[in-house]
Amino acid sequence: MINERKSPKADLKRSYTVYLEAGLILALLIMITAVKVTLETEPPQVIQLDEQEVVEMEEIVQTKQIETPPPPPRPPVPVEVPNDEIIEDEMIDLDAELDFDAPPMDLPPPPEEEEEEEDFFVVVEEMPKLIGGMAELQGSVRYPEMARRAGIEGRVTVQFIVNEQGKVENARVVRGIGGGCDEEALKAVQKAEFEPGMQRGRPVRVQYALSINFRLEN
């Protein structure tokens, strides 16, 4: 029996208890140390963000354009018109007796409208006279080449005014044949000179007319 107690198996059981207690003690110490030790952690880093540009939104008030009306037109300036006519007051006899059996009186005709006075005469005591005569005037006329080629012949009548100095004014063709003959006749008459017409011993403006002949030589 003594030999069994001293066997290695008996020693292992005895040392197992010692080891178990030592392990528990060691685990307890580790836990106590772990609780007491304070782990230092780094403070959290603050992430700095870039400042964003602040955009202020202003409310835009839409304005309405006011259309101004155009200025009123200026009133016309009154022009004083002289009144040379003098209206005579007519006397009405209120005491006159009315005869209802008498035939009706004819009403006077309405006054005729006065025509505008022309500044020239058509017929005067002494009509204007062409200086040099009609033959000289006819000889100064050039026959247009275009009318000659086209065989145009005829008479061109030019009407004009002979003023107080015997000069031709307001010349115009009242009857033409074309082909350039009208223009040549007008040029010849405008260069002509006259002795002015006379009325009551003084020169006056007289309406006159001349005819220029265009004939082709055979």
Side-chain angles (χ1 to χ4, degrees):
M1 296 297 292
I2 298 173
N3 291 334
E4 290 179 1
R5 292 179 181 177
K6 292 181 180 181
S7 62
K9 293 181 179 180
D11 293 336
L12 287 174
K13 292 180 181 180
R14 188 181 299 171
S15 59
Y16 173 77
T17 304
V18 175
Y19 289 151
L20 179 60
E21 293 176 356
L24 291 175
I25 294 170
L26 182 59
L28 183 61
L29 290 175
I30 291 172
M31 290 180 63
I32 294 172
T33 303
V35 172
K36 290 184 178 181
V37 173
T38 57
L39 299 177
E40 295 181 1
T41 59
E42 295 181 359
Q45 295 182 355
V46 179
I47 300 174
Q48 186 175 2
L49 300 176
D50 295 335
E51 294 184 0
Q52 296 182 353
E53 183 179 357
V54 178
V55 180
E56 296 181 359
M57 300 295 290
E58 296 183 359
E59 183 179 358
I60 300 175
V61 180
Q62 185 176 3
T63 59
K64 182 179 182 182
Q65 185 177 4
I66 302 175
E67 297 182 358
T68 58
R74 297 179 61 183
V77 179
V79 180
E80 184 178 358
V81 179
N83 188 6
D84 297 335
E85 298 182 359
I86 300 175
I87 301 176
E88 296 181 357
D89 296 335
E90 296 182 358
M91 300 297 294
I92 302 176
D93 189 5
L94 299 178
D95 296 333
E97 296 181 358
L98 298 177
D99 187 1
F100 294 100
D101 297 332
M105 298 177 60
D106 295 334
L107 297 176
E112 297 181 358
E113 296 182 359
E114 297 182 359
E115 297 181 356
E116 294 183 0
E117 185 178 356
E118 298 177 346
D119 61 345
F120 60 84
F121 292 87
V122 177
V123 179
V124 292
E125 295 174 355
E126 297 182 16
M127 294 296 291
K129 296 179 182 179
L130 177 61
I131 298 175
M134 193 63 192
E136 183 177 344
L137 178 62
Q138 187 72 46
S140 64
V141 178
R142 185 182 66 87
Y143 209 111
E145 186 65 24
M146 181 172 58
R148 189 186 303 275
R149 292 179 180 178
I152 297 176
E153 294 181 335
R155 179 180 297 177
V156 178
T157 303
V158 181
Q159 190 178 65
F160 52 92
I161 302 294
V162 179
N163 62 15
E164 296 88 340
Q165 291 77 32
K167 302 295 183 181
V168 175
E169 295 181 355
N170 303 330
R172 62 189 182 92
V173 176
V174 294
R175 180 182 178 185
I177 58 176
C181 298
D182 302 348
E183 291 78 6
E184 292 297 328
L186 190 62
K187 289 179 183 178
V189 172
Q190 288 174 341
K191 295 177 182 179
E193 294 184 0
F194 292 80
E195 293 180 5
M198 304 295 291
Q199 180 73 12
R200 295 181 182 179
R202 63 184 182 88
V204 292
R205 295 165 56 86
V206 182
Q207 187 180 61
Y208 209 74
L210 288 177
S211 296
I212 308 297
N213 294 324
F214 290 87
R215 297 293 180 190
L216 292 173
E217 297 177 359
N218 296 329

